[in-house]
Amino acid sequence: MDILPICLQILASSAKNSCESWRFSVETNDAGVWTQIPATCENYVKKYMNGHRYRYDSDVVAFDASAFAETVNVSGDGMDACVFDIDETLLSNLPYYATVRYGLEEFNQTSWDKWVDLAEAPALPASLKLYKEVQQLGFTLFLLTGREESQRNVTMKNLKDVGYSNWERLILRYAENLIMRNYFLLLLFYKKYYYL
């Protein structure tokens, strides 16, 4: 009896389970700060992002959000709002991630900025449908992103080119936010390890 196929199957199953657990940890914001995916997860992430499961997950989340939005009695005073993130919520950066091996290469701000400046990210279909549904229901729409303020015009162009419109406000990150965030993290580190 050849044991090698069985061993390979066990290893493949173990790697898949490990990657699914890692993905869950990332999606629940429990993975901490990370700049690249685990090397063993490259094929898993590639298959997930390009396969039916990613679209299905997006469809389910959008369906649930739409069902909830329909239960809200929108008053029309502008106080009933929906807040949407941009990257990987309204816009897909899959074309960019394919060029960096789906996150296996360490995050590079320069290459990311070049991608954003192209203003070519496609809409996530389920999110565009949800966006239009809640807009039709009368919600005030706010867009939030970690993109820098200097990318406002290309971000607006990209959003409009793929079908998003009439939001109340687009909130981007200022460079000073990064400096303050890094200072805050340094203080937390100092307090945790040196101020006992």
Side-chain angles (χ1 to χ4, degrees):
M1 176 177 179
D2 188 4
I3 193 89
L4 184 60
I6 295 169
C7 290
L8 290 175
Q9 186 178 7
I10 291 169
L11 285 173
S13 175
S14 175
K16 180 179 184 255
N17 289 336
S18 172
C19 293
E20 286 178 350
S21 295
W22 173 80
R23 184 186 76 140
F24 179 75
S25 183
V26 167
E27 289 180 358
T28 57
N29 290 319
D30 292 324
V33 177
W34 57 279
T35 58
Q36 64 191 99
I37 66 170
T40 57
C41 296
E42 179 181 8
N43 285 331
Y44 172 83
V45 172
K46 180 180 180 179
K47 286 178 184 175
Y48 174 75
M49 297 299 292
N50 288 300
H52 71 279
R53 183 61 190 254
Y54 180 65
R55 290 278 175 124
Y56 178 76
D57 287 350
S58 293
D59 289 343
V60 168
V61 170
F63 177 82
D64 289 346
S66 178
F68 172 76
E70 289 176 4
T71 68
V72 175
N73 183 17
V74 179
S75 65
D77 63 1
M79 299 301 284
D80 299 301
C82 283
V83 179
F84 287 94
D85 183 40
I86 293 177
D87 294 302
E88 305 323 316
T89 302
L90 295 183
L91 298 177
S92 169
N93 296 298
L94 188 55
Y96 169 76
Y97 288 118
T99 69
V100 294
R101 299 175 59 195
Y102 300 93
L104 185 61
E105 294 178 20
E106 192 163 331
F107 179 75
N108 180 293
Q109 189 69 49
T110 303
S111 70
W112 169 255
D113 289 342
K114 286 180 182 176
W115 160 252
V116 170
D117 289 343
L118 292 174
E120 294 178 354
L124 280 162
S127 297
L128 181 58
K129 182 176 184 269
L130 172 63
Y131 183 94
K132 291 184 181 228
E133 287 173 358
V134 297
Q135 192 173 49
Q136 187 70 28
L137 290 170
F139 283 89
T140 302
L141 304 176
F142 293 91
L143 309 184
L144 180 68
T145 182
R147 295 178 178 197
E148 294 183 14
E149 182 61 39
S150 62
Q151 296 170 320
R152 176 177 293 278
N153 291 339
V154 294
T155 299
M156 289 174 55
K157 177 188 182 326
N158 195 166
L159 289 163
K160 289 176 181 177
D161 286 352
V162 298
Y164 297 103
S165 62
N166 301 318
W167 55 82
E168 180 69 23
R169 187 162 178 216
L170 170 60
I171 304 165
L172 292 99
R173 182 186 71 207
Y174 285 92
E176 298 84 37
N177 295 143
L178 287 179
I179 294 168
M180 289 306 295
R181 185 193 73 143
N182 290 341
Y183 179 70
F184 179 71
L185 290 174
L186 181 62
L187 285 175
L188 285 177
F189 177 80
Y190 177 79
K191 183 176 180 181
K192 183 174 183 179
Y193 293 102
Y194 299 105
Y195 190 69
L196 297 175

